[in-house]
């Protein structure tokens, strides 16, 4: 199979390059590109690799703090966690592949994010994932849930990294475009971080891992007439993951990283060999020469185009110190992985690739990498949310009738069915398993813990992007705080529709603005992330979903909080929120959606100053050992949060509705932000309330733990057993009808 | 009546299992193995139905459940 | 006590069990790479959990042919205790050191959760710290834990007291509802004829530290220490 | 030369996957499926070797690795 000799306008269009961009290529090269070069420009200037539509907005995000070792720009973000250690973490999307082939798409998403993290020298210690599926009624949903969850588990379980948390929600807005965002957290020595900038002239460029096949090659190329009829057969666009090889790759890379032979290292992710080599050369201000005949290949007859653009999994590219190739080769051979010196660094600032005696690529590095296009796309401010009509709220609803319906609704239902398919305990450091607020993983061999969480409320983002952006960050910060952790930093995965539509750019810009405000106010910088545009079907975009992955540090695991009630007879105290319990914020609440059938109103506002004050106060209580039971209030509001604490601890509670409230529904189900529930022994209540007042934080005792029911006021009660059944049953029942594919 | 279904990976799709098995055969001293591909073999007992309809029915089963047609091919053999 | 933990490509609970052994015995085990054929004198060999060779073909099948397994068999024949956990159990079955085989979970899904186990035989070197009939809690995490053997073999195991652990409810009842994977007769762990080779699906090393949610597994490592010290 | 190997569960051995598939087929509305058994189909590329020896070699591969003869049967087909 030969590549076409000349590039046509049709090929340019098929490669997703605009006429302007093609003109730019002609100027850069001073000649038309070869077909292979066209492919390279196409992937390097793709939205995915170049961030051409998002770059200028991402600059708004705060990225530094005294504890940040490396912010965005490398494979993952790095923060200092003391004792000479660093946490390295990132989140990435695998939305489209997971929709096409849920098992492999999700599995390779996990594989890819793991590589981003161990590339930097970290041993991965935890995975998380954000899953947003379409409506449960949509005919594809079950199949997608089954495949995605099995794929995430299949990969993570096999490599032996615990999957400890995430989100899993359902909304018709994702019917044709699900979201699968995977996050990995790793641990490294702070003085042994590996970066991707190549250095030194004439240094060997080394390929390790699996062989290259025709997987995932830019689908655009199929149009060329020169390809034979079986082209499609030969170029499956779906990659298959090999977690076993990934496990070997992790061990081999970490073993090599303990020596001193690596100059630079970069995983081969999207756009494979092309983007990894451009990245390393561009960062180091160097050039690279590649001899494609030395690339380990899985199939005979691969073209230069295919080798350079293949997205075969489980591969890495490294620049080594000259003469030290033997050290590296011995390690990779021991782990039974491919190892090949496929090129060397140069001082030309150009990428030159040879194949079968011919130069097939000769292009300057910088215009494709650092100096790739950047767009200031037009944007339209989103229409403000329609105000919530007073009549929208069913005033007559019985809260104890609404509660089980809410707890058993798809979004609030227990996700046990999901996380029991993930090995969440391997590595024997998971001290808070899935099911609570943040997951907590012990820093191996120490008494410290890393708390981690993924959060975003797309319905808020859709109604008001700025507020939604703020809220996503604040909720992550709150979940970490509720465990007693000091929030350190954020990774994000920004899932939106097409940036070519002003309304979508408006959502994007709004969410970023909100995120930036919250990150600044909460000293919670963004250190890594990913943008996923074009999440739409037939011109209809998904509800905007900027997933926030947050990590925090618990200095002393003996001072950690968990959400489940631990003892009967303790006081339940509400901390944060409005000073006077005048009602509650029902706009965009789950109560409104699930019980009144309405998605309406403005989302609850986030008061960032109050958020910080309240969170710092709660954290200080946990750090002082005065509070060991804590849960933040989010989806579903106060009553749902109390029920979650009761179910987690298998201890009931009696709540007192403040007498000043004529109508308790909004108070019980409003999703007002910046609030926590804690429990303390009765004789500590006065001290706690006084402390709160001194800290400028509102606090109100709202009930007592105990019994096997949830009691509301004098005449209403509901048994925990009934609530548990409602909470736990929905997902397994829904999935029971699924026809799991054969493994 | 029975259907015998072979489900195999499409050409070009990575087969980690086959790769590992080839490796293991080599380690066991079976030299000269050029490659291994692992697929599924599914036997379905269809009771007594007319063979014509059976082919179409099993084809539907393959597309809906037995094979993942994004990465797998299948072949059906109706026997009795 | 000189213990060794075998490391196959794809093992992933090797460190976990080494930590648990070190904590219980005060001595770090030797980590034995699967290609090793020279093995020093040992008091205990642990075949850890994970996905040796990706569990490709059949769980444990490829690892069962590793060079080191020959040595493990030889030592076991001399009476050196061998403990196979999860993937290690699968390897021991595939290597013919224990009867039967671990098939795909009946629910066809990976299962990771705490389960209750009834100690059926407290006379092995691994279980001497438990009482016979005691109910303990440990996590499981596997795709292929569905123990299968023909009826004759099962009867024989039963008759010889070689069923060491069974899945049960918190009160010790054994029934289908307590069985997480479809294993025949609720079998979670079995021993060889002399009781010195134990294979089990649950992970005692994940229940050896209170902050991980339990210490019932630690008893097993302590039992070994008393017996082998 | 190639070997096509079918590895199937012995009669009488429970087949959790087959059972689940039968169940799923039923749930999908394919009535009248009496049973499903799932096995493996392994294709081995043997390069060029003499067919006689090949059969014996592949038989050894099956016994040693490809099939677990406690629960599985195998059948070998040498083709070129
Ligand atoms: N896809 C998933 N993978 C793993 N754990 C999940 C997943 N979805 C939800 N969970 C877990 O379920 C619990 C509840 O999730 P969620 O309601 O989103 O928590 P919160 O409201 O505190 O952010 C959390 O512990 C979360 O980590
Ligand atoms: Mg929470």
């Amino acid at each position: 199979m030969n590549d076409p000799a000349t590039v046509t306008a049709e090929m340019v269009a098929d490669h997703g390059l605009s006429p302007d961009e093609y003109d730019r290529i002609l100027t850069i090269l001073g000649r038309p590109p070869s077909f292979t070069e066209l492919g390279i420009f196409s992937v390097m200037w793709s939205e995915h690799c170049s961030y051409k539509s998002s770059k200028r907005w991402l600059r708004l995000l705060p990225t530094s703090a005294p504890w940040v070792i490396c912010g965005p720009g490398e494979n993952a973000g790095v923060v200092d966690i003391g004792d000479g250690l660093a946490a390295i973490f990132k989140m990435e999307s695998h939305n489209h592949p997971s929709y096409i082939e849920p098992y492999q798409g999700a599995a390779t998403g996990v594989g890819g994010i793991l590589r981003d993290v161990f590339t930097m020298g970290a041993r991965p210690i935890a995975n998380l994932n954000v899953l947003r599926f379409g409506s449960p009624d949509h005919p594809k949903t079950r199949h997608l849930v089954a495949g995605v969850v099995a794929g995430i588990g299949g990969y993570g379980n096999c490599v032996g990294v615990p999957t400890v948390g995430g989100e899993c929600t359902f909304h018709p807005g994702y019917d044709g475009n699900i979201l699968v965002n995977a996050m990995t957290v790793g641990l490294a020595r702070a003085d042994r971080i590996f970066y991707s900038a190549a250095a030194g002239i004439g240094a060997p460029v080394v390929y390790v891992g699996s062989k290259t096949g025709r997987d995932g090659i830019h689908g655009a190329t199929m149009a060329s007439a020169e390809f034979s009829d079986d082209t499609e057969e030969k170029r499956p666009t779906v990659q298959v993951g090999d977690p076993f090889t990934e496990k070997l790759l992790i061990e081999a890379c970490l073993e090599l990283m303990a020596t001193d032979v690596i100059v630079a290292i970069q995983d081969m992710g999207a756009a494979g060999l092309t983007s990894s080599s451009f990245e390393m050369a561009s960062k180091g201000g160097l050039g690279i020469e590649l001899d494609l005949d030395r690339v380990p290949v899985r199939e005979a007859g691969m073209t230069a185009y295919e080798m350079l653009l293949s997205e075969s999994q489980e591969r890495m590219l490294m620049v080594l110190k000259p003469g030290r190739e033997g050290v590296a080769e011995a390690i990779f051979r021991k782990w039974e992985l491919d190892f090949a010196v496929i090129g060397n660094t140069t001082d030309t600032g150009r990428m030159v690739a040879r194949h079968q005696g011919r130069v097939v690529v000769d292009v300057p590095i910088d215009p494709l990498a650092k100096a790739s296009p950047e767009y200031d796309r037009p944007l339209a401010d989103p229409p403000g949310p329609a105000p919530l009509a007073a009549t929208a709220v069913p005033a007559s609803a019985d809260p104890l009738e609404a509660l089980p319906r809410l707890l058993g609704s798809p979004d609030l239902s227990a996700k046990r069915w999901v996380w029991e398919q993930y090995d969440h305990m391997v590595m024997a450091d998971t001290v808070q398993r899935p099911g609570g607020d943040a997951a907590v993983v012990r820093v191996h061999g120490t008494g410290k813990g890393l708390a981690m969480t993924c959060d975003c409320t797309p319905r808020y983002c859709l109604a008001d992007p700025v507020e939604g952006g703020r809220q996503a960050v604040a909720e992550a910060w709150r979940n970490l705080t509720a465990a007693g952790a000091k929030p350190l930093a954020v990774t994000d995965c920004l899932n939106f529709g097409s940036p070519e539509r002003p309304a979508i750019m408006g959502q994007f810009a709004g969410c970023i603005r909100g995120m930036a405000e919250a990150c600044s106010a909460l000293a919670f910088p963004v250190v890594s992330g990913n943008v996923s545009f074009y999440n739409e079907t037939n011109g209809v975009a998904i509800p905007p979903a900027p997933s926030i992955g947050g990590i925090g540090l618990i200095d002393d695991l003996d001072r950690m909080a968990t959400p489940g009630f631990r003892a009967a007879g303790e006081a339940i105290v509400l901390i944060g929120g409005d000073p006077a319990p005048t009602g509650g914020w029902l706009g965009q609440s789950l109560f409104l959606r699930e019980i009144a059938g309405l998605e309406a109103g403005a989302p609850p506002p986030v008061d960032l100053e109050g958020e910080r004050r309240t969170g710092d106060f709660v954290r200080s209580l946990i750090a002082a050992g005065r509070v060991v039971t804590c849960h933040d209030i989010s989806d579903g509001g106060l009553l749902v949060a109390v029920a979650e604490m009761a179910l987690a601890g298998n201890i009931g509670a009696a709540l007192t509705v403040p007498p000043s409230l004529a109508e308790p529904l909004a108070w019980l189900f409003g999703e007002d932000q910046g609030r926590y529930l804690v429990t303390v022994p009765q004789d500590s209540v006065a001290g706690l309330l006084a402390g709160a007042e001194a800290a400028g934080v509102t606090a109100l005792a709202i009930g007592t733990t105990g019994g096997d029911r949830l009691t509301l006021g004098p005449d209403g009660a509901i048994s925990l057993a009934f609530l548990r059944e409602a909470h736990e049953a929905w997902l397994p029942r829904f999935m029971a009808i699924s026809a799991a594919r054969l493994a | 009546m029975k259907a015998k279904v072979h489900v195999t990976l499409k050409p070009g799709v990575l087969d980690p299992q086959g790769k590992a098995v080839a490796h293991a055969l080599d380690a066991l001293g079976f030299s000269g193995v050029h490659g291994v591909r692992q697929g599924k073999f599914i036997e379905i007992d269809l009771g007594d139905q007319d063979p014509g309809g059976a082919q179409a029915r099993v084809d539907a089963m393959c597309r809906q459940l037995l094979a993942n047609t994004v990465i797998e091919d299948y072949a059906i053999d109706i026997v009795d | 006590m000189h213990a060794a933990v075998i490391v196959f490509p794809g093992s992933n609970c090797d460190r976990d069990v080494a930590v648990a052994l070190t904590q219980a015995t005060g001595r770090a085990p030797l980590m034995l790479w699967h290609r090793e054929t020279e093995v020093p004198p040992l008091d205990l060999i642990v075949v850890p959990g994970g996905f040796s060779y990706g569990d490709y073909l059949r769980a444990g099948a490829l690892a069962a042919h590793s060079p080191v397994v020959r040595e493990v068999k030889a030592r076991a024949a001399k009476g050196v205790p061998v403990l196979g956990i999860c993937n290690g159990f699968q390897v021991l079955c595939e290597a013919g050191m224990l009867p039967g085989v671990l098939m795909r979970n009946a629910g066809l899904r990976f299962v990771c959760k705490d389960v209750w186990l009834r100690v059926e035989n407290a006379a092995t070197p691994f279980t001497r710290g438990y009482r016979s009939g005691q109910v303990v809690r440990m996590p499981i995490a596997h795709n292929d834990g569905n123990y299968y053997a023909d009826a004759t073999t099962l009867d024989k195991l039963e008759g010889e007291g070689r069923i060491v652990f069974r899945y049960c409810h918190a009160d010790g009842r054994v029934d289908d509802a307590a069985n997480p994977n479809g294993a025949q007769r609720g079998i979670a762990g079995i021993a060889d004829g002399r009781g010195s080779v134990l294979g089990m699906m649950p992970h005692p090393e994940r229940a050896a530290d209170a902050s991980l949610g339990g210490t019932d597994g630690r008893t097993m490592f302590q039992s070994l220490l008393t017996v082998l010290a």
Side-chain angles (χ1 to χ4, degrees), chain A residues 622-634:
Chain A
I622 299 169
R626 292 171 61 196
V627 161
V628 292
T629 302
C630 180
H631 185 32
D632 70 308
I633 300 179
S634 58

Side-chain angles (χ1 to χ4, degrees), chain A residues 471-519:
Chain A
Q471 194 275 342
V473 171
E475 186 177 347
W477 190 84
R478 213 179 291 147
N479 274 318
L480 300 172
T481 297
K486 176 185 187 289
L488 292 178
V490 160
T491 182
D492 64 45
C493 186
L494 309 177
N495 307 277
F496 288 82
S498 166
E500 293 163 39
R501 295 198 291 125
I504 301 297
M505 272 319 280
Q507 290 176 345
F508 183 74
C511 283
I512 294 246
R513 280 203 197 100
M515 286 169 55
E517 280 173 30
C519 289

Side-chain angles (χ1 to χ4, degrees), chain C:
Chain C
M1 185 171 83
H2 292 257
V5 176
I6 310 289
V7 185
F8 298 108
S11 293
N12 63 32
C13 303
D14 44 333
R15 187 189 76 177
D16 308 1
V17 78
V19 168
L21 278 168
T22 309
Q23 269 166 10
T25 68
R27 186 168 174 164
L30 174 70
M31 306 305 280
L32 258 188
W33 182 238
H34 74 120
R35 285 223 203 94
E36 219 65 64
T37 44
E38 311 249 308
V39 179
L42 293 167
D43 303 315
L44 170 70
I45 299 173
V46 179
V47 188
F51 283 73
S52 56
Y53 294 96
D55 273 359
Y56 297 144
L57 191 64
R58 292 182 309 278
L62 303 186
H65 292 285
S66 272
V68 78
V69 172
R70 232 166 292 144
E71 194 57 29
V72 174
K73 276 187 190 171
R75 296 295 168 94
K78 290 188 192 137
V80 174
V82 176
L83 171 60
I85 302 169
C86 195
N87 193 228
F89 185 13
Q90 295 159 343
V91 172
L92 297 183
C93 287
E94 281 285 344
M97 294 175 65
L98 290 171
V101 40
L102 292 143
M103 302 182 65
R104 188 85 192 275
N105 292 347
L108 297 196
R109 286 193 299 272
F110 188 95
V111 185
C112 176
K113 64 176 183 185
D114 284 347
V115 295
W116 297 102
L117 302 172
R118 195 169 73 195
V119 180
E120 305 286 67
N121 178 346
T124 76
F126 310 94
T127 51
R128 228 158 265 180
Y130 302 108
R131 274 173 293 105
S132 175
Q134 186 178 342
V135 175
V136 298
R137 208 183 63 187
M138 290 181 200
I140 53 166
H142 59 248
N143 219 2
D144 305 82
N146 182 352
Y147 183 77
Y148 177 86
D150 59 38
T152 322
T153 307
L154 290 171
D155 289 343
K156 184 164 175 250
L157 288 174
E158 201 112 40
E160 294 173 359
R162 288 167 56 189
I163 298 173
V164 180
F165 294 109
R166 262 190 244 264
Y167 302 108
C168 67
H169 291 279
D171 60 7
R173 267 177 313 123
V174 172
D175 63 16
D176 284 351
N179 186 332
N181 53 31
Q184 303 266 300
R185 304 190 190 180
I187 289 174
I190 57 167
D192 71 341
R194 36 170 142 181
S196 56
V197 175
L198 172 68
M200 62 191 292
M201 289 314 296
H203 287 272
E205 80 280 15
R206 295 188 189 181
D209 179 341
S211 50
L212 300 180
T215 54
D216 283 351
R218 190 190 287 165
T219 312
M220 178 171 288
F221 302 109
Q222 284 163 345
S223 304
L224 286 164
L225 185 62
T226 8
V227 177
L228 304 172

Side-chain angles (χ1 to χ4, degrees), chain A residues 41 50 235 240 315 333-334 347 430 485 633 689:
Chain A
F41 275 96
S50 73
R235 288 183 171 172
V240 169
R315 304 178 302 159
R333 296 279 176 239
K334 170 189 160 191
D347 61 359
T430 307
I633 300 179
L689 298 185

Side-chain angles (χ1 to χ4, degrees), chain A residues 45-320:
Chain A
W45 286 0
S46 69
E47 192 63 57
H48 189 94
C49 290
S50 73
Y51 289 84
K52 57 191 172 191
S53 306
S54 57
K55 254 193 250 181
R56 64 185 309 275
W57 292 103
L58 295 174
R59 285 189 201 109
L60 295 183
L61 295 170
T63 59
S64 57
W67 52 87
V68 173
I69 295 175
C70 173
E74 279 290 336
N75 285 298
V78 186
V79 295
D80 194 335
I81 59 164
D83 297 336
L85 296 173
I88 302 188
F89 66 109
K90 180 161 191 284
M91 178 157 32
E92 201 159 68
S93 68
H94 234 211
N95 305 340
H96 294 125
S98 302
Y99 185 76
I100 296 169
E101 209 314 272
Y103 186 99
Q104 294 298 344
T108 52
V110 174
I113 195 64
L114 282 165
R115 285 192 292 284
D116 272 332
V117 166
F118 71 78
T119 297
M120 297 196 71
R123 176 171 287 282
I125 60 161
N127 286 325
L128 298 94
N129 55 94
V130 175
L131 312 179
R132 303 205 186 281
F133 297 105
S135 160
D137 300 328
H138 190 273
K140 280 200 86 163
T141 300
R142 266 190 199 89
H143 162 72
L144 291 168
V145 174
V148 164
V149 171
I152 289 172
Y155 207 98
N157 300 346
C158 184
V159 296
V161 176
T163 303
V164 297
E167 284 198 291
C168 176
T169 62
F170 299 81
H171 190 278
Y174 303 99
D175 277 352
N177 195 123
I178 61 170
L179 301 187
V180 175
N181 297 171
M183 168 171 163
T184 294
V185 182
L187 209 54
R189 271 177 50 184
D191 60 352
R192 300 287 295 165
I193 313 283
F194 290 80
Y195 296 98
S196 57
I201 315 295
V205 174
V206 168
Y207 170 118
V208 298
S210 280
K211 294 189 192 332
T212 297
R214 293 188 171 102
D215 326 58
I217 292 169
H218 209 249
T221 59
M222 302 299 173
S224 167
E226 254 108 359
F227 289 146
S228 54
D229 283 336
D230 59 357
T231 299
E232 200 144 359
E233 285 281 280
K234 284 186 180 146
R235 288 183 171 172
T237 47
V238 175
Q239 300 114 288
V240 169
D242 180 357
F244 169 59
T245 296
E246 180 103 334
K247 166 72 175 163
L248 303 186
L249 196 55
I250 295 176
E251 299 303 334
C253 286
L254 292 179
E255 194 171 324
L256 182 62
M257 285 163 169
T259 71
D260 65 345
V261 311
I262 299 178
V263 174
I265 177 163
Q266 168 75 37
D267 65 295
M268 290 192 227
L273 188 50
T274 295
S275 74
S276 53
S277 45
F278 272 90
E279 193 86 7
M280 294 211 292
S282 168
K283 290 228 175 82
L286 297 175
I288 275 191
E289 268 179 18
L290 294 180
D291 179 355
L292 297 178
D293 296 318
R294 297 206 214 159
V295 171
V297 289
R298 208 164 75 214
E299 292 168 67
M302 286 186 66
T303 65
Y305 183 100
E306 290 171 324
M307 280 190 255
L308 283 163
L309 270 65
S310 163
E311 293 188 358
S312 288
Q313 302 288 295
E314 293 95 21
R315 304 178 302 159
M316 302 282 243
L317 200 63
M318 308 185 293
V319 174
L320 299 182

